[in-house]
Amino acid sequence: MAIDSISKITLIEVLQNMAQDIQNISATLLTRMHENTKSEYIEKFYRQDLMSAKDRISRNKDRIFDYLASGRLELVSYKEFYINSSLQMECAISKLEAGIYRLLLSYSIDKSDDSEVYKTIEGLIGEIYSSSQSLVDLLRSISTGTKGNSEKRKIIEERFNKISESEGRGDIIYREGLARVLVKYSDKPSRLISFKETIEYLEDCIDCLYNASVYIKLIGFSGLA
């Protein structure tokens, strides 16, 4: 049992690092978008910060897989929860990367700004930040052993609910933003497609973070009586 506990702490730390990377990268992206909307500025962020974060998250996912495959597989309970949560966080950063790439593609087609679409994109990235921040808090609550089971269960549920609420807000931003894009760019198919895919990928990122939180919540509950 002690070995299982040590394994669990190690795996949760890696998951927390993955979630923290998504939180940091979305916070940096929001800051840079507020400071400067020029495509060159976002492209520099994409090629340096975002791709580096994507690489770190993939490596951490591989660390979890290697850990479970290197003779410790039988020592970890509910190992599928760790596997699926790491895959969903890798999915989240991949969707974020794809969304920003499509945004850059839209700028290559037409460099003029669209404040309404930009507001939708910022709103979705804001929910990515909110979800990832709550995901970090959720993982921290699981690794903290100072609370009783009932109190810890309540904290886990509260932090999971914050992610669920963020996912719901993301759905609303996505639907409203997509409707505006379809109407405004009905006669400009290239820009319509690039903006539409940007919004869709960012919304998918939020969904992946929510999916990760479902598995992480189960990890937290699995250690409670």
Side-chain angles (χ1 to χ4, degrees), residues 45-62:
F45 162 83
Y46 171 82
R47 298 195 181 283
Q48 295 180 0
D49 304 65
L50 183 50
M51 295 307 291
S52 294
K54 183 181 179 183
D55 184 56
R56 285 194 302 273
I57 288 170
S58 292
R59 289 202 307 269
N60 271 325
K61 183 264 297 180
D62 291 341

Side-chain angles (χ1 to χ4, degrees), residues 52-216:
S52 294
K54 183 181 179 183
D55 184 56
R56 285 194 302 273
I57 288 170
S58 292
R59 289 202 307 269
N60 271 325
K61 183 264 297 180
D62 291 341
R63 284 180 65 199
I64 289 175
F65 278 50
D66 291 344
Y67 188 93
L68 293 172
S70 60
R72 298 178 177 89
L73 195 61
E74 72 281 0
L75 303 178
V76 181
S77 302
Y78 306 104
K79 50 191 169 288
E80 65 275 13
F81 297 160
Y82 296 95
I83 292 170
N84 287 328
S85 55
S86 67
L87 285 171
Q88 286 299 319
M89 277 195 270
E90 184 180 48
C91 166
I93 194 68
S94 295
K95 298 294 184 180
L96 178 58
E97 181 269 323
I100 300 306
Y101 177 80
R102 265 55 176 197
L103 178 61
L104 291 170
L105 183 61
S106 74
Y107 280 127
S108 71
I109 296 168
D110 185 344
K111 291 190 179 297
S112 62
D113 291 330
D114 187 316
S115 59
E116 288 188 355
V117 175
Y118 213 75
K119 184 177 178 181
T120 295
I121 292 168
E122 279 193 298
L124 289 170
I125 295 170
E127 295 306 332
I128 291 170
Y129 172 76
S130 179
S131 292
S132 55
Q133 182 181 46
S134 296
L135 196 55
V136 171
D137 290 341
L138 176 60
L139 284 156
R140 284 175 179 159
S141 69
I142 293 171
S143 60
T144 302
T146 58
K147 306 290 184 181
N149 281 350
S150 60
E151 187 176 357
K152 194 167 184 177
R153 183 180 292 272
K154 182 181 178 182
I155 292 171
I156 290 171
E157 196 70 60
E158 286 174 350
R159 290 177 180 174
F160 171 78
N161 288 340
K162 285 185 178 180
I163 301 168
S164 180
E165 289 165 5
S166 183
E167 193 268 342
R169 291 193 299 269
D171 281 344
I172 294 170
I173 295 169
Y174 162 74
R175 288 195 298 270
E176 292 177 350
L178 185 61
R180 282 194 293 269
V181 167
L182 292 174
V183 170
K184 188 167 185 178
Y185 292 103
S186 59
D187 59 341
K188 297 180 180 179
S190 296
R191 209 160 199 218
L192 186 151
I193 292 170
S194 58
F195 274 145
K196 176 177 177 289
E197 290 186 346
T198 296
I199 293 169
E200 286 175 340
Y201 277 121
L202 294 179
E203 198 268 341
D204 286 345
C205 175
I206 299 170
D207 287 344
C208 290
L209 291 171
Y210 172 77
N211 293 339
S213 74
V214 172
Y215 292 112
I216 290 166

